[in-house]
Amino acid sequence: MSDLFHYQLEALAPLVFRSGKPFGVNAGADGAAFPLPSSLAGLLRSLWAEQQGEAFSPELHQIAAYGPLLAWREPDNTLIPLAPAPADAQYVTVQPDKQNGQTDGQQAPHPLLRRRSPQPLPDTIGCDLPAGLLPVWNIEEMAQNPGKPATGPQYWPLTELVRWSQGDDENITLEALNNSGLRALTDSVRTHVAITPESQAAADGQLFQTAGLDLAPQRQADGGWATRELVWLASSPKPLVSRLATFGGERRLSRLHPLDAHAAPAHWLRPCEDQIARMLKQGGLRLTLLTPALFAGGHLPGWLNSKTENGRLSGQPPGCPGLTLTLRAIAAHGWQPVSGWDLAKQQPRAARKALKAGAVLWFTLDHPAQLSAEALRPLWTQALSDDPQDQCDGFGLALPAAWTPPPA
């Protein structure tokens, strides 16, 4: 951790990132997408190569990158990191309960935040999950008043995600998250057209729109402007100087700012000794993905082995020698496409499916009494994707926290 350098990236124009999905006459361009970790890694490596006067090389690809994470930048330059909403958090609108004696006027539907957790099913209910995996649900409130899906912030303040992951969520409310988090990123849509001289009409397939992410302060409902803006946070083992950079498509400009090591909000990369002690005591942990992860089994890490004595999914996470984990549950937002342009080979990369950031994976520790704290510390900085290059690109960074597994 001490040998990492931290940066903020300020967008000077709406930035264009796409999923790699082709578009043409029959399929329009997709909307603005959050930048992939590989996009950030490519930027940081290119800046380092340019700064050092180096050419593309295999060694350049081995420079690790951490991020990107969103952050609010306040007028006094204070940075507040944001993280994807965890998949075990559920936004629901609860309908009035006709049995509590209140009138309809006192029972207006209201949105709230619920926690779902891995719990065994009653004996009368079954499922076809792989051996040892538990469903993720809310056993008490779902049975009494399930409510209806509601909208909420897509990004939480990282401090609130840390509290939620550690089970310290007594004062975390949907109303507070709406005020401190980010409901959704703002798109800036541009229309492109090519006119044929003969017909003075749009050329076939040349009338389309593209969307970029606008991180600048937004107009408010009262007619004023927000006082804070969004930036991206990144970390690298290489020291970079402040400079302009082109991040994303269409060569739109951003500015890279080095952050002071003591002022950088990089606690998400710093092992928490209290949580490590609790993991060893409780015998379980949860990992909330901060960046998308690329696994061979889609939502299942390829480093898990199903051919164990009890048929459960167990294995050693990358970069964590001596640590064996058994998967107990997963909550996910789904998958997202990953592709891009290989600058060195001058060809498109193959499309892949990644588990979206915000997914939560619960594990039990194998033989926790025999583990040391040293075996758990790498989880804070180790990307958990299967392929070493994807790990180096920053796919699969996670926020660990202690978890108490339910009785078997």
Side-chain angles (χ1 to χ4, degrees):
M1 178 63 197
S2 59
D3 55 355
L4 288 181
F5 298 88
H6 309 289
Y7 306 95
Q8 64 168 303
L9 196 62
E10 176 189 14
L12 302 180
L15 301 184
V16 177
F17 301 95
R18 301 193 184 101
S19 65
K21 184 184 76 173
F23 66 94
V25 178
N26 298 321
D30 52 357
F34 195 90
L36 295 171
S38 51
S39 300
L40 175 72
L43 171 70
L44 298 178
R45 291 165 188 161
S46 298
L47 292 177
W48 173 250
E50 188 176 300
Q51 185 175 307
Q52 300 299 310
E54 293 185 6
F56 287 113
S57 66
E59 291 74 22
L60 197 62
H61 288 180
Q62 300 311 308
I63 298 175
Y66 301 85
L69 243 62
L70 271 176
W72 289 119
R73 186 169 68 182
E74 300 288 357
D76 62 356
N77 287 325
T78 300
L79 295 172
I80 302 174
L82 301 173
D88 60 333
Q90 186 179 30
Y91 308 135
V92 294
T93 299
V94 176
Q95 301 300 315
D97 184 354
K98 299 297 184 183
Q99 298 179 356
N100 64 7
Q102 293 179 305
T103 64
D104 287 345
Q106 295 172 312
Q107 297 175 337
H110 61 281
L112 54 81
L113 177 68
R114 275 183 179 161
R115 178 190 289 274
R116 298 181 297 165
S117 58
Q119 300 182 59
L121 292 169
D123 294 337
T124 54
I125 302 177
C127 67
D128 59 355
L129 288 171
L133 289 194
L134 296 168
V136 180
W137 61 314
N138 186 308
I139 191 169
E140 293 89 5
E141 295 182 47
M142 289 291 287
Q144 298 172 2
N145 195 339
K148 295 183 178 180
T151 58
Q154 294 182 8
Y155 299 91
W156 291 18
L158 182 58
T159 52
E160 298 299 280
L161 177 61
V162 170
R163 290 180 55 212
W164 175 270
S165 299
Q166 297 177 0
D168 179 22
D169 57 351
E170 185 176 351
N171 297 317
I172 300 179
T173 64
L174 182 54
E175 182 180 6
L177 289 174
N178 279 326
N179 293 329
S180 59
L182 176 65
R183 201 168 185 85
L185 286 163
T186 302
D187 286 359
S188 174
V189 178
R190 296 183 180 182
T191 301
H192 307 256
V193 62
I195 303 295
T196 57
E198 296 79 11
S199 65
Q200 290 296 300
D204 190 21
Q206 298 300 309
L207 174 59
F208 57 94
Q209 291 182 322
T210 58
L213 296 178
D214 189 356
L215 306 190
Q218 299 298 309
R219 198 72 181 263
Q220 303 299 292
D222 60 3
W225 293 86
T227 57
R228 58 186 181 180
E229 59 185 330
L230 289 165
V231 297
W232 276 298
L233 300 178
S235 299
S236 168
K238 299 297 184 183
L240 298 168
V241 298
S242 177
R243 59 155 296 161
L244 292 173
T246 54
F247 189 32
E250 302 184 6
R251 299 189 63 78
R252 297 186 186 177
L253 285 176
S254 299
R255 187 184 299 278
L256 185 82
H257 300 276
L259 294 171
D260 182 86
H262 300 290
H267 53 276
W268 56 289
L269 292 169
R270 188 176 300 124
C272 177
E273 297 301 328
D274 173 65
Q275 285 301 301
I276 291 175
R278 290 180 57 185
M279 290 174 191
L280 294 173
K281 181 180 180 181
Q282 297 170 207
L285 60 86
R286 53 173 283 162
L287 299 170
T288 306
L289 292 182
L290 300 176
T291 60
L294 287 160
F295 295 137
H299 63 288
L300 293 176
W303 41 268
L304 294 175
N305 178 21
S306 62
K307 297 178 181 177
T308 57
E309 291 183 2
N310 53 16
R312 294 190 172 187
L313 295 162
S314 297
Q316 181 176 296
C320 301
L323 176 64
T324 302
L325 302 176
T326 297
L327 183 68
R328 297 303 310 277
I330 296 178
H333 293 304
W335 63 274
Q336 70 177 90
V338 172
S339 183
W341 181 258
D342 191 321
L343 193 59
K345 296 180 180 178
Q346 290 293 300
Q347 65 183 33
R349 299 179 188 275
R352 296 180 289 173
K353 290 183 176 179
L355 188 61
K356 280 187 175 180
V360 185
L361 296 89
W362 289 267
F363 296 92
T364 54
L365 305 180
D366 287 11
H367 312 295
Q370 302 173 16
L371 282 176
S372 66
E374 196 61 35
L376 293 164
R377 288 195 183 101
L379 289 173
W380 270 262
T381 52
Q382 175 62 50
L384 299 171
S385 292
D386 296 340
D387 185 81
Q389 186 60 57
D390 293 331
Q391 297 167 18
C392 205
D393 290 347
F395 284 100
L397 290 170
L399 175 70
W403 171 63
T404 301

